[in-house]
Amino acid sequence: MLLYGITIFVSAFLLFQIQPMIAGVLLPWFGGTAAVWTTCLMFFQTVLLMGYLYAHFLRQFFSPRCTWGIHLTVLIAAAVMCRVLPPDSWQPEGNANLTFSIVGLLAATIGLPYFALSTTGPLVQAWQAGSHQNQSPYRLYALSNLGSMLALLTFPFLIERTMTQYSQSSTWTIGFWIFCVLCGLSGWQTWRQTTWPELESESTSVSNETNRCWAYLGWITCAMGASVVLLATTNLLCQEVASVPFLWILPLSLYLLSFIICFDRPEFYRRRIFMPLLVLLAGFSILLLHLNVYAGFLLQMIGLCLTCFVASMVCNGELERGKPAKQRLTSFYLCLSIGGALGGIFVCIAPYLFSGFCEFHVGLTISLLIAANVVYRFYRSQQSVLPIWVAPFGFLIVLVLGMIATSFLYFSDSTYKSGVVFRGRNEYGLASVEDVESRGYRRFVNGQIEHGGQYLDPDKARQHISYYVAGSGVGVAFKALRDSKQVENRNLSVAVLGLGTGAMSTWINPGDDIVFFEINPMVEEIARQYFTYLENCPGDTTVILGDGRIQLKKMQQRQPEQKFDLLFMDAFSSDSIPVHLLTRECMELYFDNLEPDGILVAHITNRFINLLPVLEGHANHFGIKPILVDFTSKDPDIFTRWVLLTRNQQVLNSDFVRHSSVQWPSELEPVEWSDDYASIAALLNWSAAIELDGLAGKIQTEKENLKE
């Protein structure tokens, strides 16, 4: 029994340790979008389904001895083919489909080892049920979830902080080889068994078969509901802050905790506690979705994570109450994996089904319907007077379901908001184009955040607008560099990571050239179809699709002589920070592609994360004095924060730059992000949106110097 327990614990630990590890490797390859983690989880759940199906197939059609021989062959093949880190040559092209590319990369690297690990739970429990028939195998299931949770919690706080990606992959590979030995020894104990324990005697009546089908459907539904809520919660947290392991792991840990509680201490799941909590938290979380910009990050995180945990407790608690006898163990786990995989697939295809973020509503609806089904079955089973709480609770469920349905319609139907010209969604997020007729203004909104706009009047279409005007970091950088270069003798070459509407091109003169790097093809379509900046730019304009860092590196390899005078890091998904674009290695790439007197400009405005310590850490590393430009635009009223990094002494000593910038905060503790470690925990403003040091609207700028 001890060997079985160690094998299951090690397999679960490795199974969930590899998930954030490999997703962290792939994250910068696909622009740091939250869809990377969602797609990875979908792949993991699908392979888990294949592993459970494999275990069920072996249990049904082969003897224990044959099962051990077949599985030993799989273990040997997986150990030989184990490869964690994909080579850089596998990096995707700009037009690659995110979902198919990630699935292909995962299958080619950890596909077979992950499959071998995923079979362990049901297979080892089936071996244990045969050799220790007087002991329940469900305790091993709780032990596997404990191993999974420990793997998730140790990764961001221990593994990621102390080990490079290469060290992580090497250590994991060694751990996998150890697991293969343990699993082989576990199966050896079944060598003398020629048959599995007899199946429970069941009637083949139509009634019994019908009940069994309903049981299978119930298991699948419960597992799917918990899976959808988990993935949707993770997406909600990541799309407005950053797609980082810390925010991936928190909801997943709570999800696993619910498994541990329900299957190891089932008495802790009390319907009278968790079902009312689910109803109340479902309504509260829907309210948070509509507050969004106005709700602090701590409130959002607590509200959404509590909802995820309670919904998982209800779904997994009902799973535990409906679990079968151990003779149908593999069927039970197979249904769980089917539900989990269906939930993952649904969330991955949701961007193609809904124009708004509606999968969270679907997950809550499934969870509430499970609770409603329990109430209904309780009602049907009562032969006497019903308890007084049943009717109010049933009414409350219906009320919250109506609230969710109304919210679903609001997010999925663009006609609920006036002025919407376009609304779309893909794996990179939500995007819309809205006309504000009172100001004669068209704006581009990514997620919940405005990312530029344009006047509708053709005579004003080339005017600087929003946060691309003269007093912003954009205007300061262009004017300061032109003054230092005496631009009548030299044109500018500009690179921009993040296209938006293309408003940066209003600063381009005839003879200049500008290259936009944009990972989201829908953004380019919006910029060309609904705005005219690119069409009317007097200089040479190029848009390169793909992650800015990868494409910039490829350009450097193809054209090493190509250098830029200005390089802007202005890439956001809603308000989510692309962490991989702000690491030390990426900063080195930026400076390698800049002229010696060029300027790197980082747009770091964010509601929840103060990125000044990161930029100060990089400035110290490169021996550069950073320039901070805070600006509040008048039309519309938007506050933005920019940091300029340059070795150009003319720019640093310019009176114009000194008057346009604000003093760098002296109390900051520098933070240096790298590709191996970049934690956002210490930079988060947990209570509310970033107050930006009270500098909004207080910029010391000489107005006459800003006029062109």
Side-chain angles (χ1 to χ4, degrees):
M1 184 68 178
L2 178 62
L3 182 58
Y4 291 138
I6 294 174
T7 302
I8 277 195
F9 182 87
V10 172
S11 71
F13 188 89
L14 293 172
L15 199 70
F16 279 81
Q17 187 93 133
I18 193 62
Q19 293 185 13
M21 185 188 303
I22 190 65
V25 173
L26 298 182
L27 187 65
W29 290 19
F30 298 91
T33 178
V36 173
W37 177 241
T38 304
T39 306
C40 286
L41 274 186
M42 182 271 292
F43 173 84
F44 298 141
Q45 290 174 320
T46 303
V47 175
L48 190 69
L49 167 61
M50 295 169 61
Y52 281 17
L53 186 61
Y54 162 87
H56 180 72
F57 181 81
L58 292 182
R59 174 68 173 76
Q60 293 295 317
F61 299 103
F62 293 92
S63 68
R65 181 179 297 178
C66 290
T67 296
W68 177 76
I70 294 171
H71 195 59
L72 186 62
T73 304
V74 172
L75 291 173
I76 294 172
V80 172
M81 299 176 62
C82 185
R83 181 179 189 175
V84 177
L85 294 180
D88 290 342
S89 59
W90 290 9
Q91 290 180 346
E93 296 297 329
N95 57 354
N97 180 275
L98 182 145
T99 302
F100 292 148
S101 297
I102 291 177
V103 170
L105 286 167
L106 292 174
T109 51
I110 63 164
L112 188 57
Y114 195 89
F115 172 79
L117 288 168
S118 68
T119 65
T120 306
L123 197 56
V124 170
Q125 289 181 61
W127 288 342
Q128 185 264 351
S131 60
H132 297 74
Q133 298 187 29
N134 60 333
Q135 297 182 17
S136 171
Y138 290 106
R139 298 294 298 273
L140 290 178
Y141 186 56
L143 182 63
S144 72
N145 282 294
L146 178 61
S148 304
M149 190 171 180
L150 285 176
L152 291 175
L153 294 178
T154 55
F155 183 80
F157 301 113
L158 179 63
I159 304 299
E160 192 182 30
R161 289 193 177 196
T162 59
M163 302 174 68
T164 64
Q165 288 182 344
Y166 178 79
S167 299
Q168 293 173 25
S169 65
S170 300
T171 304
W172 189 90
T173 301
I174 294 172
F176 180 74
W177 292 339
I178 294 172
F179 154 76
C180 290
V181 174
L182 291 171
C183 193
L185 292 175
S186 297
W188 172 254
Q189 298 184 75
T190 66
W191 180 253
R192 292 190 179 92
Q193 298 178 29
T194 57
T195 59
W196 297 102
E198 288 296 325
L199 294 177
E200 61 188 339
S201 58
E202 292 183 303
S203 171
T204 58
S205 67
V206 174
S207 175
N208 197 52
E209 289 297 324
T210 301
N211 290 336
R212 182 183 294 188
C213 290
W214 277 112
Y216 291 161
L217 181 61
W219 297 337
I220 292 172
T221 303
C222 288
M224 180 178 177
S227 175
V228 173
V229 172
L230 164 66
L231 292 173
T233 300
T234 308
N235 272 348
L236 283 172
L237 288 174
C238 291
Q239 71 173 351
E240 297 299 332
V241 181
S243 187
V244 291
F246 169 70
L247 294 178
W248 301 339
I249 287 170
L250 182 58
L252 185 55
S253 298
L254 295 173
Y255 171 80
L256 290 175
L257 179 61
S258 70
F259 269 111
I260 295 172
I261 293 173
C262 292
F263 282 87
D264 193 51
R265 291 290 185 269
E267 66 274 10
F268 288 175
Y269 170 62
R270 302 289 183 86
R271 285 172 170 170
R272 293 188 179 184
I273 295 176
F274 283 99
M275 287 188 175
L277 271 178
L278 173 62
V279 176
L280 295 175
L281 286 171
F284 178 67
S285 60
I286 291 297
L287 180 62
L288 282 178
L289 292 188
H290 289 269
L291 285 174
N292 199 290
V293 176
Y294 305 101
F297 176 66
L298 183 62
L299 180 63
Q300 291 192 44
M301 188 182 72
I302 291 176
L304 293 175
C305 287
L306 273 178
T307 303
C308 177
F309 173 69
V310 172
S312 299
M313 282 294 297
V314 170
C315 293
N316 294 327
E318 295 306 315
L319 271 176
E320 192 280 332
R321 292 200 173 193
K323 68 181 184 295
K326 59 185 179 182
Q327 287 85 354
R328 291 167 60 196
L329 189 71
T330 55
S331 298
F332 177 66
Y333 287 133
L334 180 60
C335 289
L336 263 64
S337 62
I338 290 174
L342 288 176
I345 293 170
F346 170 75
V347 173
C348 276
I349 66 174
Y352 307 100
L353 300 177
F354 310 119
S355 61
F357 192 86
C358 298
E359 52 267 36
F360 187 67
H361 300 74
V362 175
L364 289 180
T365 300
I366 295 174
S367 303
L368 287 171
L369 288 177
I370 291 170
N373 180 60
V374 172
V375 174
Y376 174 73
R377 285 190 286 112
F378 181 83
Y379 169 78
R380 289 286 303 270
S381 66
Q382 294 299 304
Q383 302 298 325
S384 58
V385 180
L386 286 173
I388 194 171
W389 60 268
V390 172
F393 182 60
F395 174 77
L396 189 60
I397 291 178
V398 174
L399 183 65
V400 174
L401 283 173
M403 179 180 174
I404 293 173
T406 304
S407 176
F408 179 93
L409 291 174
Y410 175 83
F411 281 111
S412 60
D413 189 349
S414 60
T415 60
Y416 275 83
K417 193 170 185 179
S418 62
V420 175
V421 178
F422 168 83
R423 190 175 188 180
R425 185 184 179 194
N426 61 12
E427 57 265 37
Y428 294 101
L430 305 168
S432 62
V433 179
E434 303 169 2
D435 284 348
V436 185
E437 296 183 2
S438 60
R439 299 207 313 265
Y441 174 74
R442 172 170 289 179
R443 66 178 193 151
F444 168 54
V445 179
N446 191 317
Q448 302 289 331
I449 306 299
E450 179 174 332
H451 287 259
Q454 186 176 32
Y455 289 120
L456 294 171
D457 186 347
D459 295 333
K460 298 181 179 180
R462 283 285 301 165
Q463 286 187 14
H464 306 315
I465 195 173
S466 187
Y467 48 83
Y468 298 105
V469 296
S472 72
V474 176
V476 171
F478 269 100
K479 188 176 188 308
L481 194 62
R482 289 189 192 278
D483 289 346
S484 70
K485 283 181 174 294
Q486 298 180 349
V487 76
E488 64 270 11
N489 298 320
R490 182 174 171 183
N491 296 321
L492 295 183
S493 183
V494 182
V496 185
L497 275 68
L499 173 61
T501 62
M504 197 83 74
S505 63
T506 58
W507 288 94
I508 298 301
N509 293 338
D512 296 341
D513 65 85
I514 184 169
V515 179
F516 291 98
F517 297 94
E518 175 56 53
I519 194 169
N520 190 347
M522 184 171 63
V523 173
E524 183 186 11
E525 295 174 7
I526 289 172
R528 295 191 183 281
Q529 185 172 351
Y530 298 100
F531 299 91
T532 61
Y533 290 124
L534 297 179
E535 178 185 349
N536 297 329
C537 180
D540 293 332
T541 305
T542 305
V543 178
I544 298 178
L545 288 176
D547 176 75
R549 178 173 173 176
I550 293 176
Q551 299 305 321
L552 187 62
K553 187 175 182 179
K554 289 183 177 181
M555 175 181 282
Q556 183 187 43
Q557 294 170 346
R558 291 193 305 265
Q559 302 170 293
E561 73 285 351
Q562 172 72 55
K563 301 293 181 183
F564 297 103
D565 299 294
L566 282 167
L567 197 155
F568 292 89
M569 202 295 288
D570 188 26
F572 292 88
S573 176
S574 187
D575 215 20
S576 177
I577 294 294
V579 173
H580 71 291
L581 298 182
L582 287 171
T583 63
R584 182 183 65 248
E585 293 83 355
C586 192
M587 288 288 169
E588 291 173 351
L589 177 65
Y590 294 154
F591 283 114
D592 287 344
N593 282 272
L594 274 174
E595 295 283 359
D597 58 353
I599 304 177
L600 171 63
V601 185
H603 184 194
I604 61 169
T605 310
N606 193 271
R607 292 171 295 154
F608 301 125
I609 304 176
N610 182 9
L611 291 169
L612 283 179
V614 177
L615 271 298
E616 182 172 359
H618 292 323
N620 293 343
H621 176 81
F622 292 103
I624 296 174
K625 181 182 178 181
I627 301 168
L628 176 60
V629 178
D630 285 338
F631 179 76
T632 302
S633 62
K634 293 183 178 180
D635 192 12
D637 185 16
I638 299 176
F639 180 84
T640 53
R641 167 165 280 177
W642 309 78
V643 174
L644 283 59
L645 299 175
T646 183
R647 294 187 175 93
N648 189 326
Q649 291 302 315
Q650 286 182 277
V651 171
L652 292 171
N653 298 328
S654 166
D655 290 337
F656 166 74
V657 172
R658 284 200 299 269
H659 292 149
S660 302
S661 61
V662 296
Q663 185 177 1
W664 191 272
S666 58
E667 70 280 1
L668 294 177
E669 288 290 334
V671 173
E672 193 167 342
W673 282 354
S674 68
D675 287 346
D676 286 325
Y677 180 68
S679 174
I680 66 168
L683 307 177
L684 280 170
N685 184 317
W686 297 93
S687 59
I690 289 289
E691 296 178 359
L692 297 173
D693 305 322
L695 295 173
K698 299 179 181 179
I699 303 168
Q700 301 172 4
T701 307
E702 292 185 356
K703 299 295 183 180
E704 58 273 15
N705 288 340
L706 298 178
K707 295 180 180 179
E708 296 183 338

